[in-house]
Amino acid sequence: MSFKEIIDKVVADGAAYCDIRKEHWNKTSLTLKDGVPEMVAQGEEEGAMVRVFYGNGWGCVGTNDLDDIQETANRALTMAKKSARYKESETDLADIEINQDKIKIPMKEDFRDISAEEKLSFLKELEYNLSKNFVKSTDIRYRDSLVEKEIITSEGTHIQMEIPRLVAYLIVTGKSDTIQRASEGTGGTGGYEITEKTLDKTNVVLDRLETLLEASTPPSGKMPLIMDPHLAGVFSHEAFGHAAEGDLVASDNSCLKGKLGEKVASDIVTIKDDPTMEGYGSFPYDDEGTKTRNRVLVKEGTLNDFILDRENAWKLDLEPNGGARAEDFRVKPLVRMSNTIMEPGDMKFEELLEEIKGRGVYAKASSGGQVSPAQGTFQFNAQESYLIEDGEIVKPLRDVSFNGFTLDTLQNITGITDKLETGIGHCGKGQTAPVSDGAGHVLVSEVMVGGRE
Amino acid sequence: MSEKLIESAKEIIGKLKGRGLDGDVFGVNCRNVEYGIKKGELTDSSEYDDVGLGIRVLKDGKLGFGFCTPGYEEKGVKQAVEFSKVSQKIDLKFPEEEHVPKVETFDSKIEQVISEGKGADFTQELIDGCVSYAEDITPTMGGVEIYLGSEIVANTNGVLLEKKRTAMLGSVMATIPGEKTSITASEKEVSKKSDIDFKNVGERSAEKVDSMRNEVTLPEGDIPVMLESRSLNQLLGFGLIPSFNGENVRKGKSVYSDKLGEDVAHSHLTLKDDPTQDWGIGSSPFDDEGVVSRTLEFISHGILKGFMYDLKEAHKSETESTGNAIRANFKSPPDISERNLVLRGKDTPREELLPDGGILVDDIMGAHTANPASGDFSIVATPVWLIENGEKKGRIEGVMLSGNLPELLKTIQLADDYKKTYMSLGGRSLKLDTPSARVDDVIVSGK
């Protein structure tokens, strides 16, 4: 039976909706630790997920055994029927345009044509550039993946896509009185040409590590903070972007619930999530077959839109905008971000510095963080930071963390510089999604800095 | 369930031997089932089956890796051989056949739970438990996860081992809506057996959030701190355990490099990795390279005793594998990891340890930002309660904790409420058996 026939049978058996998403993955990973190839792996896999919507319930079953999709569909229908017994509130899918399209994101240089030896020589070149006397250890990671997807729905949508992605990470460790670590990543949607950007990052991580090795522990207390574009990008993604995910909004798990059209940030703040721009988190159709578009989430301080899949768009009475993404065929699509950008402003970095009277912190790049979209709180750690006193950068700091309420912090943004820089990341929400984020330098008038002094 | 997988593994080993190569195969055949709660209702039901094999090949002394699904064995072997060309030279010796201990990891009742779709009923029990507590408390997130799987390891030395595992998890985030921000608290229970009282997990989540209605302020001065096991677990996992990784030790990236045999913790404290513990969340009879499980003491009565190794790192560090090779899935080569972490020591009844005038920390944010090399951490604690006369006196917002994990081990006091659990954060998953603990040597700051 063809996928179309299987879908038709599920619908004939009473389902309101059914889709099948088939994926074929081709992946390569190389890791060079201290100059030694530690993990070299290559493989292909394929599988499919069948989603069935019956009554108000969902049943989603993934498999990597493509020989028996009919059985997989039967299981999904059984699961949806049982789920519907417990689901009292009405649910539906917001309408989308029925799309039939075949699209291939081009690779200028196809990474499948580059031999493993050549990829490894590139990593060795990076390693050579990172070999400095203050570097105790290096860890260089390269990953490329090409996914061929086919999405077929009971409504007639049929999308075929090829999406190539490439990412490389540089991690260096050094030791003074404590052990310090610096990292940088580059990546994008495209081919081997993306690696050109990686070479430029070697100096960035080396400078960062050298700075950290002579850095002091930070002060604690409330103070002004300048975030560099990478940290401000991560802030836009983590603290704000997650709260703008339609599933969290519709299920009362977001501090942005009920705030559409309200002021949630200072006037100079505009935040978008745009899967159609160039970036590591780009894709032309989402995993429900909805054509993607730019989502302006905050427009000059006012909450303007959410990131939406079809079900949550229906619940919130809004238009689906291509927000459904699944890590692979094993899992169902969730509402996810793509390329999240806080639009640049009109200030210069020096002007931001001049705004700081007394003590403040300049924090660069993120070393992780965690957020609670429901409570609207966040906690981040910066990789590299500096103490500012009366508009002057005084000394480097390490292990700086800061936290606060997202909405207060967005209102406290008083300056953004005019140059956008973007970074890449892997967003976790039970599933991993490749994303990018970016901003200019951003001044926050007050945030809680946690230190050890 | 695993016949197809075993046949496939045998075929791969045959192909390797036919080419005169050494190697091993790690195969997985599993089913993961998930039911999700949103806004007080069961909203999502999903499951996936995964079958696949990871292949390692030693060719000309170089180790290559590939993966495949059954039916594509030849392609998998070819990729592993191809990739061995760019790999490092390493004189890796795969394990020989040896006696495998019996470890309880499989509850056949879970097969029935899956086949009868009982996960949906359990999810409703979680919801019922939570909503029955108070009218304004709703389970806004959470659900039930069920795992049933078989894993095999085979190698060219004739080893062919199979382990079957089951697990269930129930979690609820209970919410009280608020004007500016909601108040939330969560509860989770994990077990290898079908023995979770889901209604009780729901009730506990509601009881917890109910105790957070009143906000109080952080006391002045030095504040004693009690960490619930899940907060302690995260700090241990991200700020301490990386220092027991043999590779970090060899490369000088561990605070414990060169400290073997020294006093590093309070004399009552023992921290060990024990994958032989029956029904331990991370227990199993052998690791993902087929090395037989045994108990590994990291710290025994305060003294640093050992580090963890897989086959590759053991070779580099000129020691033996401790059976600490773990694979995230069949597509990943093994990596060094703790398996079933157990923290023990002189314990005190929990009620006696609760600090009068101090704080109780239920959960923390940002543990994965702890410096894995130094053990320094600076994190947000939430939810936090002020404790007076052994009672929760209201929640405190905006609490930050900072300190150093290896230093904390020197003064930590353990409670007697040991709990087996699992957590996944920042790309890592931890399986542990630990109690809550009193840690007074942390810096507490507030808003």
Side-chain angles (χ1 to χ4, degrees):
Chain A
M1 268 174 122
S2 70
F3 284 178
K4 175 78 175 59
E5 286 164 338
I6 291 169
I7 289 171
D8 288 346
K9 188 173 178 310
V10 171
V11 172
D13 287 342
Y17 172 86
C18 175
D19 66 26
I20 299 181
R21 173 170 42 91
K22 181 188 159 203
E23 297 178 352
H24 180 101
W25 288 86
N26 200 315
K27 295 178 181 180
T28 301
S29 338
L30 291 166
T31 300
L32 193 68
K33 278 189 184 177
D34 299 321
V36 180
E38 284 279 352
M39 183 174 121
V40 287
Q42 187 177 8
E44 283 178 55
E45 62 169 349
E46 59 182 5
M49 163 154 276
V50 182
R51 293 196 313 162
V52 174
F53 186 52
Y54 178 96
N56 291 314
W58 279 107
C60 309
V61 179
T63 178
N64 64 356
D65 182 359
L66 286 178
D67 293 339
D68 206 0
I69 293 297
Q70 177 63 63
E71 168 59 19
T72 305
N74 291 344
R75 275 167 53 201
L77 179 62
T78 307
M79 199 172 212
K81 284 180 176 173
K82 174 127 194 185
S83 185
R85 268 192 256 156
Y86 285 114
K87 178 81 172 57
E88 284 175 6
S89 67
E90 198 190 342
T91 304
D92 209 341
L93 302 179
D95 289 339
I96 56 163
E97 197 178 318
I98 303 305
N99 295 300
Q100 284 170 350
D101 201 358
K102 202 169 177 176
I103 198 161
K104 197 170 169 176
I105 294 182
M107 290 192 257
K108 277 187 202 144
E109 205 177 346
D110 193 326
F111 46 63
R112 290 170 299 178
D113 298 338
I114 312 289
S115 69
E117 284 90 342
E118 204 175 322
K119 288 173 185 170
L120 191 66
S121 325
F122 169 64
L123 298 197
K124 287 190 168 160
E125 185 186 349
L126 292 169
E127 208 262 338
Y128 177 78
N129 289 352
L130 293 173
S131 304
K132 300 285 176 216
N133 57 7
F134 57 90
V135 176
K136 207 168 166 58
S137 182
T138 60
D139 184 345
I140 303 168
R141 298 173 192 179
Y142 168 94
R143 308 279 182 267
D144 64 44
S145 70
L146 177 70
V147 60
E148 295 156 53
K149 279 191 204 199
E150 188 171 3
I151 300 162
I152 305 171
T153 78
S154 55
E155 295 168 345
T157 284
H158 187 176
I159 305 294
Q160 285 169 281
M161 290 188 285
E162 263 189 49
I163 306 177
R165 285 200 175 89
L166 185 148
V167 64
Y169 281 101
L170 308 174
I171 304 160
V172 288
T173 311
K175 192 173 181 179
S176 52
D177 59 325
T178 65
I179 299 159
Q180 293 296 324
R181 186 173 180 265
S183 66
E184 267 292 320
T186 50
T189 305
Y192 201 66
E193 66 279 1
I194 293 164
T195 55
E196 283 168 24
K197 297 186 224 162
T198 313
L199 268 176
D200 303 339
K201 293 288 183 183
T202 51
N203 285 333
V204 177
V205 279
L206 286 173
D207 289 349
R208 179 168 300 151
L209 181 64
E210 211 172 5
T211 304
L212 283 171
L213 289 173
E214 54 195 41
S216 335
T217 51
S220 48
K222 281 185 177 171
M223 58 193 81
L225 173 78
I226 297 175
M227 295 189 268
D228 86 327
H230 298 283
L231 189 57
V234 172
F235 172 82
S236 306
H237 170 103
E238 294 285 352
F240 176 78
H242 280 295
E245 289 170 343
D247 55 338
L248 298 187
V249 176
S251 62
D252 296 348
N253 284 304
S254 166
C255 61
L256 296 176
K257 189 193 169 228
K259 293 198 165 62
L260 213 56
E262 286 181 21
K263 197 103 174 66
V264 293
S266 75
D267 292 345
I268 58 171
V269 176
T270 292
I271 301 174
K272 67 173 181 181
D273 185 76
D274 186 2
T276 68
M277 67 182 274
E278 196 177 300
Y280 189 45
S282 310
F283 47 98
Y285 288 89
D286 77 355
D287 287 330
E288 295 186 309
T290 306
K291 196 170 174 56
T292 53
R293 63 167 170 84
N294 179 23
R295 285 88 55 139
V296 181
L297 304 172
V298 175
K299 198 174 179 183
E300 293 165 358
T302 301
L303 187 63
N304 185 63
D305 204 355
F306 296 122
I307 304 164
L308 296 159
D309 62 358
R310 296 185 61 188
E311 185 180 3
N312 289 293
W314 184 87
K315 287 179 182 170
L316 296 165
D317 198 18
L318 295 166
E319 296 266 315
N321 52 31
R325 298 179 76 181
E327 181 175 342
D328 64 21
F329 56 84
R330 292 177 176 83
V331 285
K332 63 181 189 288
L334 303 174
V335 177
R336 307 301 298 267
M337 278 171 268
S338 58
N339 305 304
T340 312
I341 307 292
M342 187 184 289
E343 297 283 11
D346 56 6
M347 291 178 79
K348 298 287 174 206
F349 180 67
E350 294 69 31
E351 292 172 321
L352 297 190
L353 273 181
E354 283 166 16
E355 293 284 317
I356 297 183
K357 315 291 178 214
R359 202 159 69 162
V361 169
Y362 171 35
K364 294 173 76 172
S366 158
S367 64
Q370 208 174 335
V371 294
S372 167
Q375 292 168 300
T377 53
F378 67 86
Q379 186 270 349
F380 290 116
N381 283 46
Q383 279 200 37
E384 173 186 358
S385 308
Y386 298 87
L387 184 69
I388 301 169
E389 276 174 5
D390 295 325
E392 298 282 331
I393 291 178
V394 181
K395 63 173 183 177
L397 302 172
R398 67 183 191 219
D399 297 325
V400 167
S401 78
F402 57 98
N403 71 92
F405 283 98
T406 302
L407 296 178
D408 292 350
T409 308
L410 285 169
Q411 296 284 6
N412 288 342
I413 291 176
T414 53
I416 306 176
T417 62
D418 56 2
K419 193 170 166 240
L420 172 72
E421 286 178 42
T422 59
I424 56 124
H426 291 95
C427 171
K429 189 177 170 182
Q431 303 174 21
T432 303
V435 294
S436 62
D437 43 49
H441 277 85
V442 172
L443 172 64
V444 184
S445 59
E446 186 180 83
V447 62
M448 181 74 196
V449 174
R452 301 195 63 201
E453 281 176 8
Chain B
M1 185 180 181
S2 46
E3 290 77 20
K4 195 172 166 186
L5 195 68
I6 290 172
E7 283 315 306
S8 192
K10 282 181 178 167
E11 190 181 331
I12 291 165
I13 295 298
K15 283 182 192 296
L16 297 181
K17 282 184 165 174
R19 296 186 196 196
L21 301 170
D22 280 342
D24 71 359
V25 180
F26 172 77
V28 179
N29 186 354
C30 67
R31 181 167 289 182
N32 292 268
V33 189
E34 275 187 50
Y35 295 89
I37 299 170
K38 285 209 183 86
K39 220 172 167 176
E41 279 191 315
L42 186 161
T43 50
D44 308 294
S45 308
S46 63
E47 63 182 48
Y48 71 85
D49 292 341
D50 222 1
V51 190
L53 303 108
I55 305 162
R56 291 197 297 178
V57 176
L58 257 184
K59 185 166 190 296
D60 303 327
K62 291 175 161 188
L63 192 67
F65 180 84
F67 60 83
C68 67
T69 47
Y72 296 90
E73 292 82 3
E74 181 59 37
K75 205 169 180 182
V77 170
K78 206 174 142 207
Q79 278 177 336
V81 170
E82 179 67 25
F83 251 50
S84 69
K85 291 179 197 159
V86 293
S87 184
Q88 61 178 314
K89 255 199 146 62
I90 183 159
D91 184 21
L92 199 71
K93 299 267 188 292
F94 293 102
E96 302 283 342
E97 280 185 89
E98 146 176 39
H99 172 73
V100 179
K102 170 107 181 92
V103 184
E104 296 290 354
T105 59
F106 183 82
D107 179 5
S108 59
K109 278 191 221 137
I110 288 184
E111 280 178 306
Q112 204 183 335
V113 164
I114 291 179
S115 65
E116 293 176 5
K118 279 189 186 167
D121 309 324
F122 293 155
T123 308
Q124 192 58 45
E125 287 175 26
L126 283 173
I127 295 168
D128 292 343
C130 183
V131 297
S132 63
Y133 195 87
E135 249 180 30
D136 62 343
I137 298 177
T138 312
T140 45
M141 265 195 192
V144 170
E145 291 173 35
I146 310 164
Y147 175 88
L148 168 71
S150 175
E151 286 152 20
I152 58 157
V153 178
N155 69 30
T156 46
N157 291 339
V159 167
L160 174 58
L161 301 170
E162 183 188 5
K163 54 187 173 187
K164 288 166 89 177
R165 292 193 289 125
T166 49
M168 283 218 289
L169 178 154
S171 67
V172 187
M173 184 164 98
T175 302
I176 300 173
E179 268 181 33
K180 183 180 175 189
T181 170
S182 307
I183 307 171
T184 64
S186 51
E187 267 298 329
K188 183 169 79 173
E189 197 75 44
V190 188
S191 180
K192 304 285 279 187
K193 290 190 271 190
S194 177
D195 62 357
I196 297 176
D197 182 345
F198 290 96
K199 189 151 188 268
N200 178 260
V201 178
E203 282 165 1
R204 286 190 342 242
S205 70
E207 187 183 347
K208 193 183 278 182
V209 78
D210 190 52
S211 70
M212 291 167 62
R213 290 181 192 270
N214 300 324
E215 186 177 352
V216 296
T217 53
L218 188 69
E220 300 276 326
D222 289 342
I223 303 165
V225 177
M226 181 96 168
L227 296 176
E228 291 286 14
S229 61
R230 72 164 154 182
S231 305
L232 177 67
N233 290 342
Q234 292 178 57
L235 289 175
L236 289 175
F238 293 96
L240 189 77
I241 301 304
S243 280
F244 296 110
N245 180 320
E247 183 183 347
N248 291 339
V249 174
R250 176 172 58 86
K251 292 182 172 173
K253 291 196 280 187
S254 158
V255 285
Y256 296 134
S257 301
D258 311 323
K259 288 207 167 79
L260 220 49
E262 291 182 21
D263 279 332
V264 293
H266 197 291
S267 61
H268 71 72
L269 206 76
T270 293
L271 179 67
K272 59 189 175 183
D273 191 34
D274 186 6
T276 68
Q277 182 192 45
D278 282 339
W279 306 115
I281 305 297
S283 291
S284 65
F286 53 91
D287 78 352
D288 293 348
E289 291 181 314
V291 174
V292 167
S293 296
R294 61 187 168 92
T295 305
L296 168 68
E297 286 189 327
F298 295 132
I299 296 170
S300 177
H301 300 284
I303 295 167
L304 184 66
K305 287 288 190 185
F307 304 114
M308 52 188 172
Y309 297 93
D310 61 0
L311 288 174
K312 206 155 82 174
E313 185 54 42
H315 176 75
K316 290 181 187 171
S317 296
E318 298 177 354
T319 181
E320 299 282 312
S321 166
T322 50
N324 285 91
I326 288 288
R327 313 204 199 204
N329 49 54
F330 67 85
K331 293 175 284 179
S332 308
D335 212 350
I336 303 169
S337 171
E338 75 290 339
R339 293 170 60 196
N340 190 56
L341 208 64
V342 178
L343 180 66
R344 290 289 183 271
K346 181 174 154 264
D347 52 37
T348 308
R350 178 186 162 91
E351 313 78 67
E352 288 177 29
L353 268 192
L354 277 173
D356 196 23
I359 59 172
L360 172 65
V361 175
D362 184 50
D363 203 358
I364 57 181
M365 286 170 80
H368 59 297
T369 63
N371 184 330
S374 65
D376 285 334
F377 64 88
S378 175
I379 47 98
V380 171
T382 179
V384 174
W385 294 269
L386 174 68
I387 298 295
E388 275 174 11
N389 302 319
E391 301 277 323
K392 290 174 180 170
K393 281 293 161 202
R395 73 178 202 278
I396 309 173
E397 298 283 353
V399 176
M400 292 191 81
L401 304 178
S402 55
N404 176 276
L405 250 296
E407 286 302 314
L408 281 191
L409 291 193
K410 293 175 181 166
T411 54
I412 192 168
Q413 301 172 74
L414 304 186
D416 59 353
D417 51 354
Y418 299 98
K419 187 175 175 179
K420 292 188 177 82
T421 192
Y422 159 85
M423 57 179 55
S424 175
L425 185 66
R428 281 192 61 206
S429 64
L430 298 162
K431 291 118 186 172
L432 322 92
D433 176 0
T434 56
S436 57
R438 176 88 172 257
V439 286
D440 293 347
D441 288 352
V442 291
I443 298 164
V444 182
S445 50
K447 58 183 177 181

